[in-house]
Amino acid sequence: MTVLAWLALFLSWGSLGLETATVVALSDFCTDPNIFVLNSTNFNTGTSSDVLDYYLTCSRRMNSPFQQVMTQSQRALSNIHTHLSNLDRNALTQFPKAEKSLREVQQILNSTEGNFHQLVALLNCRGLNKDYIDSLKGLCYDGMEGLLYLSLYSFLSALAFTAILCSLPGAWRSFPSESEEYEDSDSESEDPFTSHQARRQTATGSQRGAITPFYNYPGAGWTPPFSSAPPLP
């Protein structure tokens, strides 16, 4: 019992120390998470700080770092669409066999424009920033609350097991010693037919035997009163 109490006490204090260290590290991270993410991501992946800052802050004052590239791509698609329209109006009258090829190019251009608009929506910082903020709230609020509750429970369990270990010596003294137990067992084993119940019954019977009964029959020659019969031979 003492060994198990010591083991539980060590585990409780160890878990309390680990949870406290985790709470301190998490609180340092939640104080300014953007700087930590910028430094760690820039160090590990080499991503530009402008791109990371754009997605982490998502401020309206900041322009997208892909704005120039997307504008040029949009202009190129518009120019291609204009050239295809001119070909559709002018060249098909002279080259009617090229109509099928021109329709295929227009379909490819339409699908390319659709994919380009999807890419523009994905490159917008609002969706990624919303997911980033939700994850920070879950980590810094719910996660911190859970760790604090775990630390409290570990502290209470450590106090409880400490109290148990302090009370074990006094409780151990109140237990009967082995020598007393052996003496009681030896005295009971001398007469296997004698037990505490039998002793109680014997004592009760002896007390009852000491009481003089109301009717006493001393022997065969005793003549009851008010009897005129002769005594028996």
Side-chain angles (χ1 to χ4, degrees), residues 81-222:
H81 189 72
T82 301
H83 292 313
L84 288 177
S85 298
N86 293 330
L87 289 174
D88 192 8
R89 288 195 304 268
N90 300 324
L92 287 180
T93 56
Q94 299 179 3
F95 304 98
K97 295 181 180 181
E99 182 179 2
K100 183 179 179 180
S101 299
L102 186 61
R103 295 293 180 265
E104 292 177 356
V105 173
Q106 287 179 350
Q107 291 177 358
I108 294 172
L109 180 62
N110 293 332
S111 64
T112 304
E113 287 181 350
N115 294 330
F116 178 76
H117 291 301
Q118 291 179 1
L119 179 62
V120 171
L122 290 174
L123 290 176
N124 194 2
C125 65
R126 293 180 181 177
L128 185 60
N129 184 259
K130 183 179 181 301
D131 297 337
Y132 173 68
I133 292 176
D134 291 340
S135 62
L136 285 181
K137 287 181 179 179
L139 181 62
C140 296
Y141 288 96
D142 298 336
M144 183 70 73
E145 184 179 1
L147 285 174
L148 289 176
Y149 277 120
L150 286 176
S151 301
L152 178 61
Y153 295 152
S154 298
F155 180 69
L156 293 178
S157 64
L159 289 181
F161 283 111
T162 303
I164 290 173
L165 285 174
C166 293
S167 63
L168 276 179
W172 187 258
R173 294 190 191 97
S174 63
F175 293 156
S177 61
E178 296 181 357
S179 59
E180 294 178 357
E181 293 180 356
Y182 286 144
E183 289 177 359
D184 294 338
S185 63
D186 292 339
S187 62
E188 292 180 358
S189 63
E190 289 176 358
D191 189 0
F193 298 100
T194 304
S195 61
H196 294 287
Q197 187 68 22
R199 291 175 183 175
R200 291 178 182 176
Q201 293 177 358
T202 305
T204 305
S206 63
Q207 291 178 0
R208 290 178 179 176
I211 300 174
T212 305
F214 184 76
Y215 295 102
N216 189 6
Y217 300 95
W222 178 74

Side-chain angles (χ1 to χ4, degrees), residues 42-57:
N42 192 9
F43 178 77
N44 294 325
T45 62
T47 307
S48 175
S49 59
D50 296 335
V51 176
L52 294 174
D53 194 17
Y54 169 73
Y55 285 107
L56 294 179
T57 57

